[in-house]
Amino acid sequence: MSQPNGTYAFYPGCSMGVSARAYDQSFRRVAEVLGLEFQDVDDWNCCGATEYFTLNRLPAYSLVARNLSLAAGMGKEDLVAACSACYLNLHKTDSYMGKYPDLNEKVNRALAAGGLHYDPGTLRVRHLLDVLVEDIGYEAIGEHVTQPLKGLRVAPYYGCLVVRPESNYDPEYPTHLDDLMRALGATVVDFPLKTHCCGGHMTQISEETAYELLRRLLANAAEYNADVIVTVCPMCQLNLDAYQSEVNRVFGTDYHIPILFFTQLIGLAFGVAAEDLGFGAEIVPADEALKKIGQEEAPKPRTPRRRDKKALPMPPPLS
Amino acid sequence: MTEEKVGVYICHCGNNIAGTIDVEAVSEWAATLPHVAVARDYRFMCSSLGQELVEQDIKELGLTRVVVAACSPHMHEPTFRKACERAGLNPYLMEMANIREHASWVHQHDKEAATEKAKALISGAVKRALELSPLEPSRVPIQEATLVVGGGIAGITTALEIADAGHPVYLVEREPSIGGHMAQLDKTFPTLDCSSCILTPKMFDTGNHPNITLLSYSEVEEVSGYVGNFTVRVRKKARKVNTDLCTGCGECWSRCPAKVVDTVYEAGLGYRTAIYRPFPQAVPKYPVIDVENCIYFQKGTCKACEKFCPTGAIDFEQEDEILELEVGNIVLATGYDLFDARRIPQYGYGRLANVFTSLEFERMVNAAGPTGGKVVLRDGVTEPQSVAIIHCVGSRDKNYNPYCSATCCMAALKFGHLVKEKTDAEVYSFYIDVRAAFKDYEEFYNRVLEEGVHFVRGRVAEVTDAARQPGEEGKLIVQVEDTLIGKQRRIPVDMVILMAAMEPRADAEEIAHLFGVGCSAAGFFTERHPKLDPIATMSDGIFIAGACQGPKDIPATVGQGAAAAARVLTLISQGEVEIEPVRAIIDEERCSGCRICNNLCPYGAIDYIEDPGVSRVNPALCKGCGTCVAACPSQVITGQHFTFESIMSQIEGLLYDVSNGHETYAEPAPLETA
Ligand SMILES: Cc1cc2nc3c(=O)[nH]c(=O)nc-3n(C[C@H](O)[C@H](O)[C@H](O)COP(=O)(O)OP(=O)(O)OC[C@H]3O[C@@H](n4cnc5c(N)ncnc54)[C@H](O)[C@@H]3O)c2cc1C
């Protein structure tokens, strides 16, 4: 464990208390079970999301750096964000300030006006998923599982921000969320679009673009018979959940795929009561899917699996 | 002691040195050093005129030491040693100062400092030269037999050339048969002749040559000795088949109930049995039992092969055999591995059934392969309507291998042609650049262009089965930026072939260590010189040939295999090898026989002689590394050519103060001898 005492500075961001209350609630319960302590950054401000950086960069960086500076004052090594966009902005600001002395100088001049200062590299900015996978590990998480998610077919959706532009995971086809879900006993379906974009704030700017992106994700998950899509980001969850009926209306489709936060599933597997994990807040209801949990994998169609004599062998997965 | 006369020669190396270092100033300064009789600078010291300059001075001025300030001794120490020898000066009285790699090349931005550093290096070399002693190399006879490791087309070529010249060869091959990757191929570019038709006769000759001992299903475990006199331990793995009785009739494998995916010869596309011969033309013709998959070995019952063998050749009790070989030279021809395409998950290999690797496709189009030469999807029956060929999979990619794998463009062209020949499919070839550099290759490219293969320039982003638009359902979609039209494209196809890179063997580093050769950053064996000696290694008597040295096609492999044979034949015809006198010697009068040095020697070159109870260095095994010299508690071991005095003097010289031209070192305390 990188934090000797298991404590982290935590940047909540704007969604956690509002649209992603289920994420906030479930992650805090899971942290309790795992004995991790997350201390919220006091007096934090918005990370600027995706828009501010495209409009006016210096104030955008300064806004984020203010959070870094406040967090650095807490004396923790790691600053953790649960939202992928917050994570990216914090990570990017820290990294760019270190890389570009000129930016560093200007941002710190802005911070100085508020009596603050931040030295890039002071904090390690991390996403919650990375903390659970790296610091706790699949095995230790598996040990806490009392209600394995047997029979639940999960499409692991990473979104486009957690593994790019810099991460320890394969940016094209990451598998750490897959492995984490497996550790909970779930069946993970192949999800080729796992790192494709959910449309972000495009829903507000160009619905057409956003709905097409969402349709692709839903179609892909449906094609692999996923019971749920699991996300690591409030934005992804909101888009897929809240606009699912719109997508159905526009494209004449009929998807009903619940969109859950990964911490909600961890909580369920740990035996935490569903109401303590924010279940019920989702727009596409999850109850049907959750009924499957605890069942063994649905029996395969009982046509005798005689191998077609002519079929060629498949390479086994990379161990 | 007579007055020593040193000649100092400073090379310009064109502009390589003179462009940075003020060679005239260094030369003038060197002439003022104590004992220096003459100092000259010259455009190219390694040219014959440069060498003559040295020879002339030795003869006319009576030089007793020579210092050449030029490039690395790796490059030209032999050159200048020979020049000294021609003029009658013992070659070991010549010292080189490397003012190119160590000064001009690394300090190009600071000419003044580079010049001063050159002076320090020369000052060290002059001081060291004064302490050198004349040495004589010894000569030992050379073993006539040669070891060739790896029986691909490279090793086969080398073995046949040497054997045809009348000398014995041991050919060690790890697999049950020789042939290597070439045996898996169908047609070969650019002429499209059938691979096994041109390979099989050579394999046959190799297996039947009176001068070749073929050790298949064998591996080298230990190597000791030195050029001319290597001792090699080979493990001959138990085939569990008595080859004196076996006729290769095939009764055994046709009765074997165990089916195993053949990941070696069939590249994972087909099956074999547990007792198997990899392919019909295998040399030798005998099968082996793959113990891990044999029902008898795993479960204790079966023995079908034994029951049906008409000659009683099956021998479940057979054990590995260990052989000790004495050889004079070794040629490594261990070839390459194919890049594991599963490492690029976005291309879908291992996830998406109809994504194939290049070697799988070779097996597929091969008439003797799992589909009988039919181009079909993974279901074994459906012919594809459209095929994508993706170049540079795992090569020219900083995430995997930065190098160009050299053969894949041509193989991709060949595949395009073969798909067109065998099916009605549309073929799309996704390339970064088409590299068709050698004889008749560009012509082949043009031919394939005319045959209607579509070439799309751009590195493929992903292969996916996630349909997005009408027409994509049930297809594999290749997403790519077509950099010629500047647009993203999605091309739906039925089949994808990944042109995976040629990579160093997974165990290349271990093998390099076993034989004492080096590996490049990429992992291929390192040649002695990238241009002038791509065949020898830094270890005398050990040569490399074929794809183990770097990605290459069959013509280049064969060329290098034959060249390696020529190098070995040169040594054999010399009859004996010269052993460098740079080695340790023990003053037996003063040796206490403590034997500390015996175990420390990494080459096992020091023996303890019971009577009179002292340690002695075997000059042929000693590499002059100096470990024993440093370790000897009585300080009675001398590293010839690297004596304590010569090293200390060199350090004194190097500490020449560049800022004020004074020597700043303190006199070293006299060496205390026990
Ligand atoms: C898909 C594909 C298509 C190709 N098509 C063509 C073509 O059409 N034309 C062309 O010119 N080239 C082609 N090539 C290139 C060709 O395969 C190589 O040039 C050639 O096989 C290299 O021969 P080699 O003997 O160096 O290595 P290999 O063929 O790899 O042989 C090495 C041998 O050494 C053995 N070995 C390895 N390690 C050990 C060990 N430690 N001890 C004992 N034995 C060992 C192996 O078992 C093997 O038998 C193609 C390559 C690929 C990948």
Side-chain angles (χ1 to χ4, degrees), chain B residues 101 123 145 192 215 222 236 246 275 308 314 324 328-329 332 366-367 387 400 444 461 535 544 564 598 613:
Chain B
E101 284 86 337
S123 147
L192 297 175
L215 301 168
E222 203 180 293
K236 214 166 166 246
C246 175
I275 185 165
F308 289 98
I314 306 292
E324 289 251 330
N329 292 283
L332 298 178
N366 194 307
V387 177
Y400 306 99
F444 185 66
I535 292 138
I544 48 182
N598 293 202

mmCIF file of all heavy atoms in Angstrom, chain B residues 101 123 145 192 215 222 236 246 275 308 314 324 328-329 332 366-367 387 400 444 461 535 544 564 598 613:
data_model
loop_
_atom_site.group_PDB
_atom_site.id
_atom_site.type_symbol
_atom_site.label_atom_id
_atom_site.label_comp_id
_atom_site.label_asym_id
_atom_site.label_seq_id
_atom_site.Cartn_x
_atom_site.Cartn_y
_atom_site.Cartn_z
ATOM 1 N N GLU B 101 35.719 8.949 -29.715
ATOM 2 C CA GLU B 101 34.540 8.633 -28.909
ATOM 3 C C GLU B 101 34.596 9.306 -27.531
ATOM 4 O O GLU B 101 33.570 9.689 -26.982
ATOM 5 C CB GLU B 101 34.411 7.112 -28.725
ATOM 6 C CG GLU B 101 33.890 6.366 -29.946
ATOM 7 C CD GLU B 101 34.984 5.981 -30.928
ATOM 8 O OE1 GLU B 101 36.058 6.629 -30.928
ATOM 9 O OE2 GLU B 101 34.764 5.030 -31.699
ATOM 10 N N SER B 123 48.446 12.352 -22.517
ATOM 11 C CA SER B 123 49.433 12.330 -21.438
ATOM 12 C C SER B 123 49.363 10.990 -20.699
ATOM 13 O O SER B 123 50.387 10.379 -20.380
ATOM 14 C CB SER B 123 49.164 13.529 -20.524
ATOM 15 O OG SER B 123 49.476 13.243 -19.206
ATOM 16 N N ALA B 145 36.322 -29.567 -35.811
ATOM 17 C CA ALA B 145 34.854 -29.637 -35.842
ATOM 18 C C ALA B 145 34.230 -28.289 -35.492
ATOM 19 O O ALA B 145 34.803 -27.488 -34.758
ATOM 20 C CB ALA B 145 34.359 -30.704 -34.879
ATOM 21 N N LEU B 192 7.850 -16.313 -55.683
ATOM 22 C CA LEU B 192 6.746 -17.208 -55.373
ATOM 23 C C LEU B 192 7.082 -18.672 -55.599
ATOM 24 O O LEU B 192 6.193 -19.488 -55.846
ATOM 25 C CB LEU B 192 5.491 -16.827 -56.181
ATOM 26 C CG LEU B 192 4.941 -15.435 -55.863
ATOM 27 C CD1 LEU B 192 3.785 -15.107 -56.781
ATOM 28 C CD2 LEU B 192 4.500 -15.360 -54.417
ATOM 29 N N LEU B 215 22.058 -33.265 -34.415
ATOM 30 C CA LEU B 215 21.530 -33.496 -33.080
ATOM 31 C C LEU B 215 20.216 -32.736 -32.958
ATOM 32 O O LEU B 215 20.178 -31.594 -32.510
ATOM 33 C CB LEU B 215 22.525 -33.031 -32.018
ATOM 34 C CG LEU B 215 23.896 -33.710 -32.087
ATOM 35 C CD1 LEU B 215 24.906 -32.997 -31.214
ATOM 36 C CD2 LEU B 215 23.779 -35.180 -31.699
ATOM 37 N N GLU B 222 25.989 -26.070 -21.832
ATOM 38 C CA GLU B 222 27.146 -25.417 -21.235
ATOM 39 C C GLU B 222 28.232 -25.265 -22.287
ATOM 40 O O GLU B 222 28.402 -26.133 -23.134
ATOM 41 C CB GLU B 222 27.666 -26.279 -20.078
ATOM 42 C CG GLU B 222 28.462 -25.491 -19.066
ATOM 43 C CD GLU B 222 28.945 -26.393 -17.939
ATOM 44 O OE1 GLU B 222 28.097 -26.888 -17.182
ATOM 45 O OE2 GLU B 222 30.172 -26.598 -17.858
ATOM 46 N N LYS B 236 20.610 -34.173 -25.302
ATOM 47 C CA LYS B 236 19.800 -34.757 -26.338
ATOM 48 C C LYS B 236 18.550 -35.249 -25.644
ATOM 49 O O LYS B 236 18.591 -36.205 -24.873
ATOM 50 C CB LYS B 236 20.568 -35.938 -26.967
ATOM 51 C CG LYS B 236 20.313 -36.122 -28.407
ATOM 52 C CD LYS B 236 21.329 -37.051 -29.046
ATOM 53 C CE LYS B 236 20.787 -37.445 -30.398
ATOM 54 N NZ LYS B 236 20.447 -38.847 -30.558
ATOM 55 N N CYS B 246 13.139 -47.264 -35.504
ATOM 56 C CA CYS B 246 12.027 -46.556 -36.138
ATOM 57 C C CYS B 246 12.266 -46.405 -37.642
ATOM 58 O O CYS B 246 13.369 -46.102 -38.082
ATOM 59 C CB CYS B 246 11.864 -45.188 -35.492
ATOM 60 S SG CYS B 246 10.614 -44.155 -36.274
ATOM 61 N N ILE B 275 2.297 -38.130 -29.892
ATOM 62 C CA ILE B 275 3.495 -38.619 -30.575
ATOM 63 C C ILE B 275 3.390 -38.053 -31.982
ATOM 64 O O ILE B 275 2.353 -38.177 -32.644
ATOM 65 C CB ILE B 275 3.625 -40.159 -30.570
ATOM 66 C CG1 ILE B 275 4.968 -40.566 -31.204
ATOM 67 C CG2 ILE B 275 2.466 -40.859 -31.284
ATOM 68 C CD1 ILE B 275 5.351 -42.003 -30.920
ATOM 69 N N PHE B 308 0.914 -50.505 -31.604
ATOM 70 C CA PHE B 308 0.831 -50.585 -33.069
ATOM 71 C C PHE B 308 2.163 -50.447 -33.786
ATOM 72 O O PHE B 308 2.239 -50.667 -34.980
ATOM 73 C CB PHE B 308 -0.158 -49.530 -33.582
ATOM 74 C CG PHE B 308 -1.578 -49.867 -33.238
ATOM 75 C CD1 PHE B 308 -2.208 -49.300 -32.143
ATOM 76 C CD2 PHE B 308 -2.273 -50.812 -33.982
ATOM 77 C CE1 PHE B 308 -3.508 -49.637 -31.810
ATOM 78 C CE2 PHE B 308 -3.580 -51.149 -33.658
ATOM 79 C CZ PHE B 308 -4.202 -50.566 -32.566
ATOM 80 N N ILE B 314 9.070 -47.869 -29.894
ATOM 81 C CA ILE B 314 8.657 -46.957 -28.817
ATOM 82 C C ILE B 314 9.375 -47.354 -27.532
ATOM 83 O O ILE B 314 9.410 -48.532 -27.163
ATOM 84 C CB ILE B 314 7.123 -47.026 -28.596
ATOM 85 C CG1 ILE B 314 6.370 -46.782 -29.912
ATOM 86 C CG2 ILE B 314 6.691 -46.063 -27.500
ATOM 87 C CD1 ILE B 314 6.490 -45.389 -30.470
ATOM 88 N N GLU B 324 29.324 -34.584 -24.764
ATOM 89 C CA GLU B 324 30.364 -33.558 -24.660
ATOM 90 C C GLU B 324 31.051 -33.442 -26.012
ATOM 91 O O GLU B 324 31.534 -34.430 -26.551
ATOM 92 C CB GLU B 324 31.418 -33.956 -23.617
ATOM 93 C CG GLU B 324 30.931 -33.886 -22.205
ATOM 94 C CD GLU B 324 31.550 -32.722 -21.420
ATOM 95 O OE1 GLU B 324 32.693 -32.341 -21.732
ATOM 96 O OE2 GLU B 324 30.871 -32.198 -20.509
ATOM 97 N N GLY B 328 36.034 -26.288 -32.559
ATOM 98 C CA GLY B 328 36.929 -25.137 -32.699
ATOM 99 C C GLY B 328 36.178 -23.830 -32.878
ATOM 100 O O GLY B 328 36.648 -22.770 -32.463
ATOM 101 N N ASN B 329 35.022 -23.890 -33.539
ATOM 102 C CA ASN B 329 34.237 -22.680 -33.794
ATOM 103 C C ASN B 329 32.764 -22.954 -33.551
ATOM 104 O O ASN B 329 32.321 -24.109 -33.602
ATOM 105 C CB ASN B 329 34.411 -22.230 -35.256
ATOM 106 C CG ASN B 329 35.818 -21.744 -35.529
ATOM 107 O OD1 ASN B 329 36.179 -20.634 -35.162
ATOM 108 N ND2 ASN B 329 36.623 -22.595 -36.157
ATOM 109 N N LEU B 332 26.046 -19.365 -34.245
ATOM 110 C CA LEU B 332 24.701 -19.271 -33.689
ATOM 111 C C LEU B 332 23.740 -18.887 -34.809
ATOM 112 O O LEU B 332 23.943 -17.882 -35.492
ATOM 113 C CB LEU B 332 24.629 -18.221 -32.576
ATOM 114 C CG LEU B 332 25.518 -18.488 -31.359
ATOM 115 C CD1 LEU B 332 25.383 -17.354 -30.346
ATOM 116 C CD2 LEU B 332 25.146 -19.814 -30.725
ATOM 117 N N ASN B 366 -0.955 -22.877 -47.180
ATOM 118 C CA ASN B 366 -0.093 -23.976 -47.557
ATOM 119 C C ASN B 366 -0.935 -25.224 -47.843
ATOM 120 O O ASN B 366 -1.747 -25.642 -47.023
ATOM 121 C CB ASN B 366 0.869 -24.261 -46.403
ATOM 122 C CG ASN B 366 2.014 -25.147 -46.828
ATOM 123 O OD1 ASN B 366 1.801 -26.216 -47.387
ATOM 124 N ND2 ASN B 366 3.215 -24.700 -46.571
ATOM 125 N N ALA B 367 -0.738 -25.796 -48.997
ATOM 126 C CA ALA B 367 -1.555 -26.941 -49.404
ATOM 127 C C ALA B 367 -1.433 -28.081 -48.394
ATOM 128 O O ALA B 367 -2.358 -28.883 -48.240
ATOM 129 C CB ALA B 367 -1.125 -27.415 -50.779
ATOM 130 N N VAL B 387 -10.662 -9.078 -47.251
ATOM 131 C CA VAL B 387 -9.558 -9.384 -46.332
ATOM 132 C C VAL B 387 -8.743 -8.114 -46.103
ATOM 133 O O VAL B 387 -8.413 -7.402 -47.062
ATOM 134 C CB VAL B 387 -8.640 -10.475 -46.929
ATOM 135 C CG1 VAL B 387 -7.449 -10.736 -46.022
ATOM 136 C CG2 VAL B 387 -9.419 -11.759 -47.175
ATOM 137 N N TYR B 400 6.143 -1.123 -28.749
ATOM 138 C CA TYR B 400 6.580 -2.517 -28.812
ATOM 139 C C TYR B 400 8.001 -2.610 -29.322
ATOM 140 O O TYR B 400 8.928 -2.750 -28.550
ATOM 141 C CB TYR B 400 5.601 -3.334 -29.655
ATOM 142 C CG TYR B 400 4.197 -3.175 -29.143
ATOM 143 C CD1 TYR B 400 3.300 -2.292 -29.747
ATOM 144 C CD2 TYR B 400 3.783 -3.852 -27.998
ATOM 145 C CE1 TYR B 400 2.019 -2.111 -29.225
ATOM 146 C CE2 TYR B 400 2.516 -3.670 -27.472
ATOM 147 C CZ TYR B 400 1.628 -2.802 -28.091
ATOM 148 O OH TYR B 400 0.394 -2.619 -27.574
ATOM 149 N N PHE B 444 7.748 -6.691 -57.815
ATOM 150 C CA PHE B 444 6.692 -7.526 -57.246
ATOM 151 C C PHE B 444 5.577 -6.648 -56.688
ATOM 152 O O PHE B 444 4.383 -6.951 -56.846
ATOM 153 C CB PHE B 444 7.289 -8.428 -56.159
ATOM 154 C CG PHE B 444 6.310 -9.408 -55.589
ATOM 155 C CD1 PHE B 444 5.788 -10.436 -56.365
ATOM 156 C CD2 PHE B 444 5.888 -9.312 -54.273
ATOM 157 C CE1 PHE B 444 4.883 -11.341 -55.840
ATOM 158 C CE2 PHE B 444 4.985 -10.222 -53.741
ATOM 159 C CZ PHE B 444 4.487 -11.236 -54.527
ATOM 160 N N ALA B 461 -6.073 2.023 -36.344
ATOM 161 C CA ALA B 461 -6.345 2.359 -34.952
ATOM 162 C C ALA B 461 -6.913 1.159 -34.221
ATOM 163 O O ALA B 461 -6.476 0.820 -33.138
ATOM 164 C CB ALA B 461 -7.313 3.532 -34.865
ATOM 165 N N ILE B 535 29.121 -10.611 -39.009
ATOM 166 C CA ILE B 535 29.067 -12.064 -38.870
ATOM 167 C C ILE B 535 29.766 -12.542 -37.607
ATOM 168 O O ILE B 535 29.288 -13.435 -36.926
ATOM 169 C CB ILE B 535 29.706 -12.721 -40.112
ATOM 170 C CG1 ILE B 535 28.801 -12.441 -41.314
ATOM 171 C CG2 ILE B 535 29.900 -14.211 -39.946
ATOM 172 C CD1 ILE B 535 29.530 -12.070 -42.548
ATOM 173 N N ILE B 544 27.593 -15.363 -35.898
ATOM 174 C CA ILE B 544 26.125 -15.362 -35.919
ATOM 175 C C ILE B 544 25.637 -15.283 -37.370
ATOM 176 O O ILE B 544 26.291 -14.683 -38.225
ATOM 177 C CB ILE B 544 25.540 -14.181 -35.102
ATOM 178 C CG1 ILE B 544 26.228 -12.860 -35.457
ATOM 179 C CG2 ILE B 544 25.655 -14.456 -33.627
ATOM 180 C CD1 ILE B 544 25.744 -11.665 -34.669
ATOM 181 N N ALA B 564 29.259 -16.958 -42.698
ATOM 182 C CA ALA B 564 29.737 -17.491 -41.423
ATOM 183 C C ALA B 564 30.579 -18.741 -41.680
ATOM 184 O O ALA B 564 31.628 -18.950 -41.054
ATOM 185 C CB ALA B 564 28.559 -17.813 -40.507
ATOM 186 N N ASN B 598 41.478 -19.247 -7.466
ATOM 187 C CA ASN B 598 40.915 -20.367 -8.233
ATOM 188 C C ASN B 598 39.417 -20.221 -8.449
ATOM 189 O O ASN B 598 38.903 -20.381 -9.548
ATOM 190 C CB ASN B 598 41.158 -21.706 -7.507
ATOM 191 C CG ASN B 598 42.615 -22.099 -7.429
ATOM 192 O OD1 ASN B 598 42.957 -23.241 -7.260
ATOM 193 N ND2 ASN B 598 43.521 -21.134 -7.538
ATOM 194 N N GLY B 613 52.319 -27.157 -5.020
ATOM 195 C CA GLY B 613 51.387 -26.427 -4.147
ATOM 196 C C GLY B 613 51.214 -24.970 -4.521
ATOM 197 O O GLY B 613 51.205 -24.090 -3.664
#
